[in-house]
Amino acid sequence: MTITETTGTEAVAPPAVRPYQHYVYAYPHKTAYRPLSREHASLRALWADEPKTALSLYFHIPFCEVRCGFCNLFTRIGAPDGLTTAYLDALERQAAAVREALGDGARFANAAFGGGTPTFLEATELERLCDLAERGLGADLTAIPLSVEASPATATADRLTVLAARGTTRLSLGVQSFVDAEARTAVRPQRRADVEAALARIRDSGIPVLNIDLIYGIGGQTEESWRRSLDAALAWRPEELYLYPLYVRPLTGLGRHSGPAPAHDEWDEQRLRLYRHGRDHLLAHGYAQVSMRMFRRADAPTTGGEDYACQTDGMVGLGCGARSYTSRLHYSFDYAVDMHRIRGIIDDYTARTAEDFRHADFGWEMNEEESRRRHLLQSLLQAEGMPVADYRARFGTAPGDDFAAELDRFGDRGWLDDSAGPERLRLSPEGLAHSDALGPELFSAAVRERMAAYELK
């Protein structure tokens, strides 16, 4: 199987910088985390002095009915009898430990169920998951935004009824391609008819925001077939669309079985071409670009949660694939991609006692430099950019003082929007297109060293 093919269009000169290096959705990446000593990682101590008035709550469900060929997320295929119950039991023990650590006055500004596939759980199990959030942790799911990820096969009417009744404001459906042959190439066995049926059920559920995930760069994909997927998605008028470039990572299905690696220049050109085509198509259909990946319909309803800021506010993650953020420490459980290792980590998680959940296992200690890098990275990768005054108010310096070399380099490449003025740092359209190259250039040497030393498992 090949990952890319020519489309007959005129050849484009190879980009000066490889545009697809790392998908940056958090900093630092979990491959930089290392084991923590139990005596220095008490959750009560970690959260004691943290601001807790606008926290983000995340539950991770590490089960899928099938694992896609490109997926390197922490998830396993299926669950033997009793495993989902054991997992929810462990989540309940963890929730009790976390609530104890947070103490009084903790308030959640938003919540999300991710995975894996949260809707792998049955309807009654989803009820229990919502109860854990509300009764276990005190999150009022009907008063804050709640986002849930789903697959077409698991977006069943009974599950959607539960989620809608419990306050879900956003349902994200992983489609990836409406072209059956492309889905098979990405090792995602599904039929378009089943995808369409799932979308109809989601619309019938009344959940206000529908997101559809699509992938570009699949082997055999052309601008014409990419347009077909885009138009099939647009027919449902989704409030949001995410356009993801395909990556082939080690230990994934495609990484193991895709044969010789494709020529990077050719594949990069294909993905950039398809990205620009998709971006322009969505902009022409009334969508605003929020980031390289995210597009939002101009008239989409707001669902709240604006008081949460990812750069400064904490995250509370529950489940064996979740991560949590305090100002001083980012932490999680062990991380793996290999299916056998994932199963072992899940088994360890479900066997934990309440005491075992009162401390963090793996993590990265944040210092002032890393906080500055994270703030700049997470702000700059958004299309609206970053008010320089926000950075200055937090750190006492300007980003140009702390990252002069990096910003000069980005400017020389045409990645910065000169029209934004001195008080707003914002990427140009070309800068947004190169987000997966720009983001990694802001990684510190210490993070790079840890990531390079990580043993794949």
Side-chain angles (χ1 to χ4, degrees):
M1 178 179 66
T2 58
I3 301 301
T4 185
E5 70 172 22
T6 58
T7 62
T9 55
E10 185 176 342
V12 180
V17 177
R18 286 201 57 221
Y20 300 105
Q21 298 178 28
H22 287 289
Y23 170 25
V24 182
Y25 59 93
Y27 177 78
H29 190 269
K30 285 173 75 171
T31 53
Y33 292 10
R34 292 296 184 269
L36 302 167
S37 61
R38 182 173 293 206
E39 60 271 21
H40 293 114
S42 158
L43 294 194
R44 184 190 289 273
L46 288 175
W47 286 100
D49 299 321
E50 292 291 313
K52 297 185 280 283
T53 58
L55 298 171
S56 181
L57 177 62
Y58 178 78
F59 278 89
H60 182 265
I61 306 300
F63 307 109
C64 290
E65 73 275 16
V66 66
R67 194 176 198 193
C68 302
F70 51 82
C71 178
N72 71 336
L73 299 179
F74 187 96
T75 189
R76 61 162 290 164
I77 301 171
D81 288 346
L83 183 56
T84 56
T85 298
Y87 189 80
L88 289 169
D89 290 345
L91 272 177
E92 187 169 354
R93 295 192 295 274
Q94 188 185 7
V98 168
R99 187 162 194 177
E100 177 187 84
L102 292 176
D104 297 332
R107 173 189 167 271
F108 293 99
N110 61 52
F113 300 159
T117 307
T119 47
F120 180 90
L121 299 178
E122 300 288 347
T124 54
E125 294 174 321
L126 287 171
E127 289 274 19
R128 185 180 178 190
L129 186 64
C130 293
D131 287 343
L132 285 175
E134 295 197 323
R135 300 173 193 169
L137 285 162
D140 185 352
L141 297 182
T142 63
I144 61 175
L146 170 60
S147 177
V148 181
E149 297 173 2
S151 67
T154 61
T156 57
D158 59 338
R159 292 175 169 101
L160 293 169
T161 296
V162 168
L163 293 174
R166 298 304 294 263
T168 302
T169 54
R170 178 181 183 270
L171 198 291
S172 180
L173 192 71
V175 174
Q176 319 315 346
S177 178
F178 283 87
V179 179
D180 289 352
E182 290 180 1
R184 288 193 299 271
T185 297
V187 195
R188 184 179 179 85
Q190 67 185 23
R191 296 184 308 133
R192 176 171 175 175
D194 296 330
V195 173
E196 301 279 0
L199 286 164
R201 292 192 295 270
I202 294 167
R203 281 310 196 195
D204 288 344
S205 74
I207 294 172
V209 173
L210 164 65
N211 173 69
I212 297 176
D213 288 345
L214 297 175
I215 283 181
Y216 55 92
I218 300 170
Q221 192 175 49
T222 65
E223 287 186 38
E224 190 276 331
S225 68
W226 178 227
R227 173 79 72 97
R228 274 192 279 145
S229 275
L230 291 166
D231 286 340
L234 288 170
W236 291 97
R237 300 199 72 243
E239 285 70 26
E240 294 177 5
L241 277 158
Y242 270 72
L243 308 184
Y244 289 94
L246 178 67
Y247 278 99
V248 176
R249 298 302 196 192
L251 304 184
T252 62
L254 287 179
R256 292 180 187 275
H257 306 299
S258 62
H264 282 307
D265 288 350
E266 183 183 359
W267 194 24
D268 285 348
E269 290 164 15
Q270 181 208 21
R271 285 180 289 180
L272 267 180
R273 184 170 60 248
L274 294 174
Y275 160 78
R276 290 170 175 144
H277 183 82
R279 174 198 62 193
D280 295 347
H281 196 59
L282 295 186
L283 293 177
H285 280 78
Y287 285 75
Q289 186 166 18
V290 180
S291 67
M292 172 188 170
R293 291 164 176 77
M294 181 182 177
F295 295 80
R296 187 170 176 85
R297 211 178 71 209
D299 61 347
T302 57
T303 56
E306 290 81 8
D307 55 338
Y308 176 77
C310 65
Q311 298 92 334
T312 55
D313 291 320
M315 172 177 277
V316 177
L318 288 89
C320 58
R323 59 177 96 202
S324 299
Y325 306 139
T326 71
S327 61
R328 294 177 293 125
L329 183 75
H330 292 189
Y331 64 91
S332 69
F333 298 100
D334 199 2
Y335 169 72
V337 176
D338 176 76
M339 188 63 65
H340 178 75
R341 301 293 287 270
I342 288 173
R343 288 174 178 172
I345 294 170
I346 294 173
D347 290 344
D348 173 76
Y349 176 85
T350 58
R352 286 175 179 247
T353 66
E355 180 62 31
D356 292 331
F357 286 120
R358 291 193 171 99
H359 63 88
D361 283 24
F362 290 76
W364 173 274
E365 293 186 21
M366 297 294 289
N367 57 28
E368 183 79 0
E369 180 202 350
E370 299 293 6
S371 294
R372 291 170 191 254
R373 289 182 181 278
R374 181 172 183 263
H375 189 111
L376 178 61
L377 189 154
Q378 291 190 303
S379 302
L380 196 56
L381 295 184
Q382 301 298 308
E384 66 180 5
M386 182 184 72
V388 173
D390 289 355
Y391 185 97
R392 189 181 291 113
R394 182 179 179 187
F395 299 111
T397 56
D401 299 328
D402 299 331
F403 300 99
E406 291 91 340
L407 294 176
D408 284 347
R409 189 160 63 245
F410 299 159
D412 291 343
R413 295 172 183 166
W415 289 359
L416 299 180
D417 181 2
D418 295 334
S419 70
E423 288 306 309
R424 180 169 290 272
L425 194 58
R426 186 168 63 203
L427 295 182
S428 65
E430 197 63 11
L432 278 175
H434 286 78
S435 292
D436 285 4
L438 183 150
E441 292 199 29
L442 291 173
F443 292 3
S444 70
V447 166
R448 290 175 184 274
E449 182 179 349
R450 282 271 192 95
M451 292 176 68
Y454 176 76
E455 178 187 355
L456 290 173
K457 57 186 177 182

